[in-house]
Each structure stands twice: as C-alpha cells, then as structure tokens.
Amino acid sequence: MRKFIAIVLTALIIHSVNAKSLTSLFIEAESFQNKGGWVVDQQFMDLMGSSYLMAHGLGTPVSDATTTVNFAKTGEYTVFVRTYNWTSPWTTKEGPGRFQLTVNGRALNNKILGTKSNTWEWQEVGKVKINSKTVTIGLRDLTGFNGRCDAIYFTMDNVLPPNEPEALTAFRKEKLGLPEVVPNAGKFDFVVVGGGVAGTAAALTAARQGLKVALIQDRPVLGGNNSSEVRVHLGGRINLDPYPKLGDVVNEIAPLRGGNAQPGDYYEDEKKLEMVNAENNISLFLNFRAFKVEKEGTTIRTVFAKHIETAEELSFSAPLFADCTGDGTIGYLAGADFAMGRESKAEFNEATAPEEADKMTMGSSVQWYSKEGDKSSDFPEFNYGIDFNETNAQKVTMGEWTWETGMNFDQISDFERVRDYGMLVVYSNWSYLKNKSSFKEEYKNKYLDWVAYIAGKRESRRLIGDMVLTEQDITDFVIYPDASAPTSWTIDLHYPDPKNTKHFPGAEFKSIAVHKTIHPYPIPYRCFYSRNVDNLFMAGRNISVTHVALGTVRVMRTTGMMGEVVGMAASVAAKNKTNPRGVYQKHLDKLQRLMTVGAGKYNIENIQNYNLGGTLGPKKINLQIPPYDKD
Amino acid sequence: MTKTKLAILIFFSSLFLGGYNYSPGDSFKTAFPSEDFLNMKGIAVSHVIKNSSDSLSDNKIVELQDENGLTIWFGRYFYKDICITGICRMVKLWIFWDGVGNYLGIQLDEKEPLTKSDHTPFEPQDYIRLDEILGDTVSILKELQYEDLVIEDGPQPNIDDIPEKDLFEVDGYSSATLPSLKEYVIKDAVFTCYTLWHTVYGETKVNIDDILKGRIDSNYLNKLLNGSENQKLFALEIIRQNSSFFFEFNSQLLPLIASQNKNISEKALSVVTPQYLSNSENQLRFIELMDHSLPETKYEIIYKLQLIDNISTDAIILLIDKYATGKISAGGLNQIFKIISKQIVTNKNILNNNEIESRLVQLSKHSDPYTANLTKNFLKSTR
C-alpha cells in the first residue's frame, strides 16, 4: 500500500485557539486525545452532523476521556455540551446515559448530562472560570449505559451554538478552522467507498489489475459486518460455475472460523487489513466517511470524505467510483435512482412479493454475548419503557442474528433509534434476568461480555442499475450473457418473529427467516452499475435487485464476489476509456476473460466450510451463457 | 437383558432364530440399501429385551459378530401396525443397526412388500427414500406426534398460498409441517415413514446402546480403533468422554488426526487433551501431523495450540518453519502470531530467542508483501 500521507490536521490544530474567535473554544468530543473507555460512533453522522463519543460500558462506567486544550483568554466562560437522552423514544424518565463534563479533573457544577431531551441539542452545563490557558477537559461516565457527547463549546459571549443542521455544519467548519478548499487525497483511477467485504474485494481486485485505487472506510477496521465490530460470519459459497475462480480474493480475506457473535479475533480484522496493505496500488483511508459528491452532468467527479475523529476533510477525484457503502450513500448523494422497501407483486410479478408495496425492510442486528464469571456479579436495574417479565423475557446467554430490530422503521433516517433499540432490549432483558427473574440464580455469575454498538444492517437503499434482478430470474434460472458472480444462499427474508410480536407488538426485536432454496445463480453484471450515474459501480447489499432477490445476494461471500467482478470491470473500463455500461456494451468479452482467470494471488486453500447455506445444487443442465454480441 | 452366544461360524441364514414363528429364508431378499444382511457370514448372538413395550415384535436383538468379536450388525424382527384413521395393516420386516448402533438397513419378504395408503406396493425409489429417511437422525419426524401427521388423501394447500408468517423457520425446523412433511416423506406413506423412523430410534436402539456401553474396556477400544470408519468414530467418542483412555491410546489415535477422512480427523482432534499438549515433545509431535493433514485440519491443530498456556520455543520455531516452507499457507500466518502473542504475555523473552527472532526478521523481509507487512506489524505490536 502506498503510505497515506495527507495533510493531517492534528489534534493540536483542532484544539488550538480559533484564530477568528478569541472568546470561544469549540471541541469535537471524538477528537479527544485520550478517549479512555469511550468509543467513537460515526454511524449517524449524516443524521446528526458528526461522529460522537459514547460510553459503551455495558452497565459499568468507563474510564474518563480527556483532552488538553488551549484557551486564548482566561476568564469566565459559559459551557454547552451537545447531547441527548437516547432512551427518550421509549420513556419519559431521565435517561440512563449519565455523564459529567470535567475541567482539570473536577466535574463542572456537578451537572449530570445525558438525561434530558429527545433530540440532539446543545445543553448548558453552566459557567466556569478558566484561570490558566492550558486546561484538561474530560468526560466522566457515571453509568456505562451509552451516554453520548458530540461536542463541547466554551464561550465568553454566552451565545448558544446553532441546533439547526446546516447552520451547525457551517459553525463546526468555521470553529475548527477547516480550509475552504478541501485538500485532494491523491490521483486515482478508481475510488472505492466502503471497506466491507465487497469494497475490500473490489479494491484488491482492481489494484491487482493495475489500477491506482483509493479505498475509503469509515471505521478503523475493514470488513464491515464481518469485522470484529459487528461479528457476522460470512455466508454463501465461492468458486462456483460459470466462473469458478470468482471467490479467490474472498477466500484470501476470509476469516478461517465461522460463527456469529463470537470473540473478536475470530473475524481476523488484521488479515483483511494486511491483504490491503500488501497492495502497492491501494491507498487506504481508514476512519474517513464520505459525505458529499460533486458531479458534472451525470458523472461523479469528486467524493468528499471526513475523518471520523479529526473532522479533517479530503477530496477524491477519479474517472470511476464504486459504492460499497451498504446504504448506497454515494449513489444517493449523486442522485442515482434507488429503491427502498418492498415492491408490490404487480411491479415485478414476484411470487414472494406482497400485494401492496410498502416500506418494510429487513432489520439490523445488535449482537451480544455473556460469559460465566468465577463469582457473582451485579447488573444495574435497567427499565426504560420496555418491560420484561416471566413470560416475555428471553432466557438466553447470547443473541445473534435473530436479535433484529427496526424492520418497520427507516434503516437510514431512523437508524440511531434502530441501533439504540437493539441495545435497549439487550440491557432491559439482561437486567430482568439478573435481578428479577425466577431463575436469576442461574444468571448469578454471568456477565455481559460484549454488546455491539456498530449495528449489522441487512437492507436499506438498493441502487437501480441497467437491470434489476428479480425473484423469478433466480428461481427460473434465467441466464444472461453478462452472468457473473454467483449467488447461492437461499432467498432468505426476515420478518418480525410472531412470538415476539405477541409480547412486543410494533416493537419487536426478534426475527424469523423464511427461506426459499435456489440453484446457485450467476448475477448479471448490469446489476452492478447505476443506470443514471455514468461512472458509478455498486457492490454489496446496495446493488440493483428487488427486495426479494436481496434475500439471497446479501450474504458476504456473495457480496465479496460482486466486489471482485466490479474490480475487474473497473480495470476493463479504465483500460478501454469507457464507463461501467460501456464494459457491458462493448467489452464484456474482456470482463469474461478476467472472471475466468480470477484475481487470487496467494493460492490459499479454500477451507471456507462454514455457513455455506443449503442450495438445490448445481442446476442439472449445462450452464450455458448466451452468446454475447457486442454489436 | 440376557445373551446367548452361538460360538460357531455359520451362515446366518441357516439359523432358526427362536422366539417367533418366522424362519428367515430365501424369501427375505428385499434389502436396503443393498446388503443381504441375513446371509452374511458371522457368529450370531442373541440378546433378549426385557420388558419390551413392543409385544408384537420379536423380543430378541440378534447380533452378528466377526471373528474378532466386533459387531457386524444388530437386527430385530418387527411386526408393526401402520394405522390410518383407525384402519391398520401389518408390516413385517427386519431392521438392522451397525456395530455402533447407527441405522444400517432393512430387509423384508419380497412377497410382502411395503405398501402405501392406496395399497400399491412401494416402488424401488420409495425404498431408497425410506432408507434415507431412516438414516436421518435429526429427521423432522422426530418431534412430531402421530396426530400431527397429515392425511395425504385430502387437498394440499399450495405452499405459495400459505401466509408468510406461517412459514417461518426456527432452528432449522419449520412450523409449516404440512408442506415440509409433504416434501420430506414418501407420497402416500407418511405413516409408514413415521412408524418405522420411531422404530429405528426407539427401544431397540436404547438396548443396543446399552449392550455396547457394557463392553467398553481397553481390549474392546483397541478392536474398534482398528475397525471400520464408524467403529473408529465410536471409539474416539468413547475416549473423548473418558479421557483416562487417552493416554493409553494416544499413539494409535494421533495418526488418525492426519486421516484424509474428515470425520475421523475431526473426531480424533476432539480427543486431544490440553494436558497432553502441555508437554513440549507432544507439541512437536502434534505440529508434525500437519504435513499430511487435510488443509482444514492444519488450522484446527493451530487452534488447539492457541488454547495452550505454555507452547515451547521449539514448537514456535517449528510452526514458523512450517509456514516458511509452505506447509501452512498465507491464511495461517495470522493464526501463528496469535499463538506467539499469547505466549509473550507470560514469557516476554520469547522474542529474544535468537532462533525465533531471526526467523521473524526473515519473514518481515519476505518477498510476499502480505507476509512481510503482517510480520512487521506483529513485531511492532510486541515491542
């Protein structure tokens, strides 16, 4: 990997006095030099304007986050903190995420934060006398229950910072002293946004074909849902007809062991990272989240990304882009056509589709597990609007994919609530098991060891390509000339668990799966590029499929192979100076040659034997790809 | 239970098996999967089932043993009523289990084939399907009650007409009994499938398991370890449950880890105890098994070592050498580093060992950048 040497706006700059304002100081919490036990959460930047720090202590207060700042002037300041009560959608009680702001180690006015407001807002902490220009600011968690802080503002003018999103964005930029002209990150042939399995495979494949690639990922690790942060294992099969070499790259980055919600090292984050680092043609931008695009006509010219800790912005220009964000963020920002929710039966004549279209999607999972300790342990009483009792409590010690929330909520605009509900039910249920249940003796020594705070999302936007893959393409085994990466998982659609609905109507947190088994089916390449943004590929769950067809293509060995195809197609496009559609129209034979050869490099034996999923087996006819006539 | 051993080598078909009125003869030719169990050569032993709940069937389990005393099969002759809404018909057949109690096959009088609810005889493909169903230890039939079975003569709803919510799957078992059962069982023979499955996994199997359990000793295990695949697996499972046998048999079972048969290899790995692996000589022996192991077994060997608190420097050196010489592929390097990391916690000097250090430095200069970078980062993380 080419070492990323960008213009780094260091914490020093951020925390230095804003030249334009000698009477105020703005501090992004996520930029704290020492984060203690607090975690950086960037998942909702597009909703509430920033990443933030969160005290994810599973009911035990985490250690203080601290940072040293320099004031231009000593004197009395009014202090504001941007926060809110994350349980407010479910209760009117004061929230559990209590924390304090400290100045030189002392809690400011003993003010308890994180308990009020049902939306992100600036809250006054009080006044403080700053006697020395260099001061240590801190966040002191009091509960371990996900108190959160976006930013802190010291002002001598006693002016409340703006809450309105656009004004707040401008305010941040000004206060942080970010340059008007965003620095360019480098010269690239291909920019891949999203470092999940699909994006990582796309970047590796394109780089191995000789393209200069930028890979942008909004977390410190690669792998997305398959990373140690989410812990969903890979699913589906690789190395299938008609292009058995597809999957070789997936095999190289794949964890050797399977299982959902297992210990973090099962997911081998470092293997994915070092596979990427091993490619000189890839420049890896970890912790950068794309938030804006610039277009010329129907072509994306530049993608802008922001560092999730320092707020530093970089621009990425290239002839070709791949949206591997899962949410189809780049396509959405570029005005690409997209679908979200379930199509009606009439729209594509799908047997499994509902009669009427609706907004329902599959949900997101906040996975968790407990461990057995040597001695008994306490867990605080936790009851914030969702009551558990003997009949509805989940008598379990872990929760994996079936702990799924938000199917009837918008998986993008309501996502913070969706994720928070996932955590809320884990804590509420656990509190009941530990403190009140008739079987609490069995749980005496058990303690929560891991609860995800990065939610594993299954479905949101699906960007529309030149072809939309439907259920009957797969079940009728309709093979197209541009057949490419195979999908082998069942058509696996999730619904709220009726047993859970009985106890929690409209607030389900458990799901069931309905499966329709298929023959492994090669997805047409035309599902992998946007129909109305000329230079945008897609790989991952945001490709061009119906809701029903998403049920099979969404598992990660399959999305990884999509990435391989997109990486190959990008190289064909770059070498022939065309766009994704041009590859289909004029150069499909070249893509087919690359898919035949594959992009594996390390000759690693395929021992991907876990979570392959049941199939009907290879279709008992020769898989004939219809002839390709470029004219 | 009592047993009578007929210590003569015979053709089993020439025996008269007392206790019921049937003498197995030439008419018992229809056997599935394909073995003619009743004409196999061996020594017949019979075991009386006391207090059998099945008063219709013969009260003996017949066992055929080879000359070493290992079981070729267990068999029992059954009379079974298959009832549909109060109307019953009698089915007569032999059911056989192998030497470790797994379902093996059936054999029946060719003049009295199995029939369906419409009284037509089973077709050859029906017998093949029945054999598959009876061999399915986790069959959907396991949890069903007789009352749950569907009368197949009635109209069958189309699966697409069933509301989605009624089709859900929990833990691999579908609540949509009707369509699932329809796809699973033999058409018009659901009660036969059900009755025979529960016969295979009923009291006879419990008795066979008891017979086998009563034989467990070193001599018997030794025979099993030299027997068929199933007998090896059976022996390994006994050793896994009773680790006192492990040290007696480790020289026999360790080579089984390198078996090209995945089932045997996995089971053999499962019996290796942490105590055994805490010995440095044993660690080297264990790692050497990789050379001839299946790829997945190599990694299982590494995972086992990751759990051990004291891996010797020699073992670490050997692991690195296995990687450097291509015996372990690129995917395994990260896992080797996990072993070293764990050892560093208790022995910080491990990286000061010249032989380990020089090997890691070499890997950090490897021509393959993945290996080089991963090693460099590993070294950096340990300093």
Side-chain angles (χ1 to χ4, degrees):
Chain A
M1 186 196 76
R2 218 178 55 195
K3 278 286 176 200
F4 162 47
I5 306 170
I7 303 161
V8 178
L9 290 178
T10 63
L12 184 66
I13 295 172
I14 289 170
H15 298 138
S16 66
V17 178
N18 186 317
K20 291 178 185 168
S21 173
L22 299 175
T23 58
S24 68
L25 183 68
F26 177 80
I27 308 155
E28 289 281 16
E30 64 273 17
S31 69
F32 271 32
Q33 295 143 340
N34 163 32
K35 294 184 176 60
W38 295 63
V39 295
V40 176
D41 191 344
Q42 92 306 343
Q43 294 168 94
F44 321 108
M45 283 171 79
D46 311 333
L47 302 176
M48 45 69 70
S50 172
S51 50
Y52 55 78
L53 278 190
M54 180 166 73
H56 188 56
L58 317 185
T60 302
V62 303
S63 57
D64 290 2
T66 56
T67 197
T68 302
V69 295
N70 293 315
F71 285 84
K73 280 185 179 175
T74 56
E76 188 176 77
Y77 287 79
T78 306
V79 187
F80 298 94
V81 161
R82 191 163 186 256
T83 183
Y84 93 118
N85 168 15
W86 66 272
T87 58
S88 59
W90 304 282
T91 179
T92 53
K93 284 164 65 172
E94 289 200 338
R98 298 190 298 140
F99 66 97
Q100 292 175 314
L101 182 70
T102 64
V103 176
N104 287 334
R106 296 181 63 180
L108 187 55
N109 298 332
N110 278 328
K111 173 96 172 177
I112 307 293
L113 298 158
T115 58
K116 290 181 188 154
S117 176
N118 58 7
T119 184
W120 281 97
E121 65 171 17
W122 290 103
Q123 296 178 6
E124 187 173 333
V125 190
K127 297 193 184 302
V128 61
K129 187 130 185 168
I130 299 296
N131 297 321
S132 154
K133 288 185 177 176
T134 301
V135 173
T136 298
I137 307 294
L139 294 172
R140 180 163 297 157
D141 176 33
L142 300 175
T143 62
F145 279 128
N146 299 84
R148 51 198 74 178
C149 177
D150 166 15
I152 303 148
Y153 186 55
F154 289 78
T155 174
M156 287 181 153
D157 307 326
N158 202 18
V159 177
L160 186 71
N163 278 313
E164 192 275 320
E166 273 186 32
L168 178 57
T169 299
F171 175 83
R172 283 181 204 275
K173 197 156 183 171
E174 180 207 330
K175 293 294 179 187
L176 294 174
L178 298 179
E180 282 302 316
V181 178
V182 176
N184 192 283
K187 193 168 165 25
F188 305 107
D189 300 314
F190 183 41
V191 173
V192 179
V193 187
V197 173
T200 303
L204 284 167
T205 304
R208 290 175 185 179
Q209 307 299 327
L211 300 197
K212 295 285 179 197
V213 182
L215 175 59
I216 305 170
Q217 160 71 342
D218 66 358
R219 293 298 303 166
V221 295
L222 294 171
N225 279 344
N226 184 240
S227 71
S228 63
E229 298 192 314
V230 184
R231 306 191 191 183
V232 177
H233 59 172
L234 300 184
R237 295 159 190 249
I238 56 174
N239 301 136
L240 300 170
D241 284 336
Y243 300 105
K245 300 299 281 181
L246 288 179
D248 284 357
V249 175
V250 174
N251 188 41
E252 289 173 359
I253 59 174
L256 294 176
R257 283 187 282 186
N260 289 325
Q262 295 299 310
D265 66 352
Y266 267 53
Y267 302 90
E268 298 198 68
D269 295 340
E270 59 282 357
K271 180 193 277 184
K272 295 160 194 151
L273 182 65
E274 294 310 335
M275 279 293 169
V276 167
N277 283 341
E279 297 298 331
N280 284 328
N281 280 339
I282 301 180
S283 297
L284 176 62
F285 296 85
L286 289 175
N287 293 309
F288 275 88
R289 182 175 174 98
F291 68 97
K292 188 173 91 172
V293 304
E294 273 180 5
K295 281 200 308 178
E296 198 173 301
T298 53
T299 301
I300 298 175
R301 290 294 175 221
T302 307
V303 164
F304 296 86
K306 185 191 290 281
H307 196 281
I308 67 167
E309 293 187 23
T310 67
E312 174 196 4
E313 294 177 2
L314 289 174
S315 68
F316 300 80
S317 300
L320 296 164
F321 293 84
D323 188 335
C324 304
T325 59
D327 278 346
T329 306
I330 303 306
Y332 172 74
L333 292 169
D337 294 336
F338 71 92
M340 194 160 157
R342 302 194 294 180
E343 293 89 352
S344 70
K345 198 180 283 279
E347 189 168 353
F348 291 103
N349 202 26
E350 293 178 304
T352 305
E355 290 301 326
E356 301 292 331
D358 59 30
K359 292 184 173 174
M360 185 178 170
T361 60
M362 288 179 275
S364 296
S365 286
V366 170
Q367 301 192 111
W368 64 277
Y369 61 76
S370 63
K371 279 188 177 172
E372 183 79 19
D374 298 332
K375 54 183 192 307
S376 66
S377 55
D378 296 328
F379 188 79
E381 293 268 356
F382 189 96
N383 188 338
Y384 291 86
I386 304 295
D387 291 327
F388 283 85
N389 54 47
E390 288 295 291
T391 54
N392 66 14
Q394 306 292 308
K395 192 185 173 190
V396 291
T397 57
M398 71 174 296
E400 49 159 320
W401 68 264
T402 57
W403 286 63
E404 182 174 345
T405 63
M407 292 179 182
N408 290 309
F409 287 83
D410 189 310
Q411 289 283 330
I412 292 176
S413 62
D414 294 325
F415 193 43
E416 188 170 20
R417 178 197 166 117
V418 169
R419 190 282 306 270
D420 285 347
Y421 188 60
M423 294 194 306
L424 181 106
V425 291
V426 173
Y427 298 149
S428 307
N429 184 59
W430 191 251
S431 171
Y432 182 80
L433 297 178
K434 291 279 289 181
N435 298 313
K436 293 189 171 165
S437 70
S438 60
F439 36 86
K440 64 183 180 187
E441 193 61 22
E442 292 173 45
Y443 284 80
K444 190 174 67 177
N445 289 8
K446 290 185 170 58
Y447 62 94
L448 280 183
D449 189 60
W450 176 75
V451 179
Y453 67 93
I454 306 291
K457 197 186 288 189
R458 288 177 181 77
E459 179 177 8
S460 54
R461 299 187 191 103
R462 305 184 302 277
L463 303 181
I464 298 179
D466 274 354
M467 178 177 167
V468 178
L469 186 71
T470 66
E471 176 181 9
Q472 61 270 32
D473 285 322
I474 299 163
T475 54
D476 295 349
F477 208 65
V478 183
I479 305 299
Y480 295 94
D482 53 335
S484 68
T487 184
S488 58
W489 195 254
T490 60
I491 296 177
D492 171 4
L493 297 169
H494 290 196
Y495 302 88
D497 182 343
K499 284 182 285 186
N500 202 239
T501 302
K502 197 173 137 196
H503 297 297
F504 304 96
E508 295 88 350
F509 56 87
K510 298 285 297 291
S511 67
I512 50 99
V514 178
H515 297 275
K516 190 180 237 183
T517 313
I518 63 165
H519 295 284
Y521 173 85
I523 306 166
Y525 162 68
R526 281 165 294 163
C527 299
F528 299 155
Y529 62 86
S530 167
R531 73 180 178 190
N532 65 323
V533 176
D534 292 345
N535 59 344
L536 183 62
F537 289 101
M538 302 91 78
R541 63 180 171 80
N542 54 224
I543 65 162
S544 181
V545 289
T546 63
H547 164 80
V548 175
L550 180 68
T552 166
V553 304
R554 64 192 174 82
V555 294
M556 286 181 277
R557 288 196 189 93
T558 306
T559 59
M561 288 188 289
M562 295 175 197
E564 292 181 28
V565 172
V566 162
M568 292 169 187
S571 81
V572 173
K575 284 164 195 165
N576 294 280
K577 301 199 184 317
T578 186
N579 60 21
R581 181 177 291 123
V583 173
Y584 171 71
Q585 290 176 332
K586 297 289 180 190
H587 305 284
L588 190 58
D589 50 344
K590 297 182 182 77
L591 176 60
Q592 289 171 333
R593 277 199 288 279
L594 291 180
M595 292 193 292
T596 304
V597 173
K601 185 171 169 183
Y602 292 96
N603 199 24
I604 294 175
E605 56 280 70
N606 177 6
I607 57 162
Q608 292 290 304
N609 297 326
Y610 58 86
N611 204 31
L612 302 177
T615 80
L616 296 174
K619 187 81 172 168
K620 284 178 186 158
I621 54 169
N622 284 336
L623 204 165
Q624 294 285 348
I625 296 174
Y628 164 60
D629 181 358
K630 69 174 79 170
D631 301 318
Chain B
M1 180 170 301
T2 62
K3 68 175 185 178
T4 311
K5 188 160 188 175
L6 308 175
I8 47 170
L9 200 62
I10 51 164
F11 277 98
F12 183 71
S13 62
S14 67
L15 267 184
F16 178 83
L17 294 167
Y20 45 85
N21 296 327
Y22 186 77
S23 173
D26 289 345
S27 66
F28 259 78
K29 281 180 175 167
T30 314
F32 295 91
S34 60
E35 304 275 3
D36 184 354
F37 301 104
L38 294 172
N39 278 312
M40 288 181 177
K41 209 174 176 182
I43 300 164
V45 179
S46 69
H47 309 267
V48 176
I49 303 174
K50 283 183 176 168
N51 306 319
S52 170
S53 61
D54 184 352
S55 58
L56 283 176
S57 303
D58 185 43
N59 70 339
K60 288 191 193 70
I61 295 171
V62 180
E63 180 184 7
L64 193 66
Q65 295 181 347
D66 66 15
E67 61 271 28
N68 296 317
L70 284 178
T71 308
I72 298 169
W73 52 248
F74 292 99
R76 188 179 176 192
Y77 188 60
F78 288 96
Y79 288 79
K80 280 284 163 190
D81 273 339
I82 310 284
C83 300
I84 308 168
T85 57
I87 301 168
C88 301
R89 66 204 145 84
M90 182 69 75
V91 167
K92 293 179 273 183
L93 82 167
W94 280 89
I95 297 177
F96 298 92
W97 294 260
D98 71 9
V100 298
N102 298 323
Y103 166 76
L104 196 58
I106 61 171
Q107 196 155 350
L108 62 153
D109 187 340
E110 65 180 359
K111 290 174 192 157
E112 293 192 57
L114 296 176
T115 56
K116 301 184 187 178
S117 55
D118 60 2
H119 307 296
T120 57
F122 267 43
E123 299 290 336
Q125 66 269 23
D126 296 329
Y127 283 111
I128 292 167
R129 180 64 192 140
L130 178 65
D131 196 58
E132 289 168 357
I133 291 169
L134 298 183
D136 179 2
T137 57
V138 291
S139 166
I140 187 174
L141 297 167
K142 184 177 183 178
E143 304 297 334
L144 295 181
Q145 303 296 312
Y146 217 82
E147 311 78 82
D148 297 331
L149 303 180
V150 176
I151 307 299
E152 295 189 15
D153 293 339
Q156 300 287 313
N158 187 314
I159 194 165
D160 292 330
D161 296 336
I162 299 171
E164 281 162 353
K165 66 181 175 52
D166 294 340
L167 277 172
F168 64 80
E169 180 183 280
V170 176
D171 297 333
Y173 169 72
S174 172
S175 74
T177 300
L178 188 149
S180 300
L181 204 57
K182 186 181 162 189
E183 288 169 15
Y184 182 79
V185 297
I186 298 160
K187 189 173 183 314
D188 298 326
V190 61
F191 291 93
T192 304
C193 293
Y194 178 87
T195 304
L196 294 184
W197 191 91
H198 282 272
T199 304
V200 167
Y201 296 96
E203 68 165 24
T204 316
K205 164 111 175 93
V206 173
N207 275 279
I208 291 169
D209 290 345
D210 285 345
I211 293 167
L212 292 169
K213 237 180 262 172
R215 289 178 183 166
I216 294 171
D217 61 19
S218 298
N219 183 38
Y220 184 56
L221 283 176
N222 190 38
K223 286 179 186 175
L224 288 174
L225 284 171
N226 290 300
S228 66
E229 174 186 347
N230 277 349
Q231 285 164 333
K232 284 189 177 77
L233 291 171
F234 185 62
L236 289 167
E237 178 57 23
I238 293 167
I239 296 168
R240 192 185 69 78
Q241 290 177 18
N242 190 341
S243 58
S244 63
F245 286 120
F246 176 76
F247 286 92
E248 185 178 348
F249 288 102
N250 69 52
S251 62
Q252 268 171 281
L253 64 85
L254 282 174
L256 296 179
I257 291 171
S259 167
Q260 297 304 296
N261 178 321
K262 197 176 163 210
N263 293 332
I264 290 179
S265 165
E266 269 177 15
K267 186 60 92 177
L269 266 167
S270 75
V271 307
V272 178
T273 60
Q275 293 97 306
Y276 176 81
L277 288 179
S278 62
N279 175 292
S280 54
E281 288 301 314
N282 293 343
Q283 289 168 6
L284 297 176
R285 214 169 289 141
F286 192 56
I287 293 167
E288 288 293 3
L289 291 169
M290 284 182 177
D291 286 4
H292 306 291
S293 297
L294 292 169
E296 47 268 61
T297 307
K298 289 181 192 178
Y299 292 107
E300 293 296 336
I301 288 172
I302 292 175
Y303 301 150
K304 278 265 183 193
L305 293 170
Q306 285 174 351
L307 300 173
I308 305 302
D309 289 332
N310 57 329
I311 299 291
S312 69
T313 50
D314 285 347
I316 290 172
I317 289 166
L318 185 58
L319 278 169
I320 297 171
D321 288 348
K322 294 281 177 210
Y323 181 80
T325 54
K327 296 273 173 29
I328 301 171
S329 72
L333 183 59
N334 197 30
Q335 300 293 341
I336 295 171
F337 289 157
K338 285 182 200 297
I339 293 176
I340 304 175
S341 294
K342 179 167 177 165
Q343 302 309 310
I344 290 173
V345 174
T346 50
N347 178 10
K348 287 202 182 342
N349 293 326
I350 207 156
L351 292 179
N352 296 334
N353 176 295
N354 287 340
E355 291 196 64
I356 292 177
E357 190 186 17
S358 64
R359 281 167 169 79
L360 289 177
V361 168
Q362 251 181 335
L363 282 186
S364 72
K365 296 173 184 165
H366 200 281
S367 57
D368 147 31
Y370 172 73
T371 299
N373 287 346
L374 199 70
T375 309
K376 271 184 228 161
N377 285 342
F378 171 70
L379 286 170
K380 204 191 300 175
S381 72
T382 58
R383 281 170 189 149

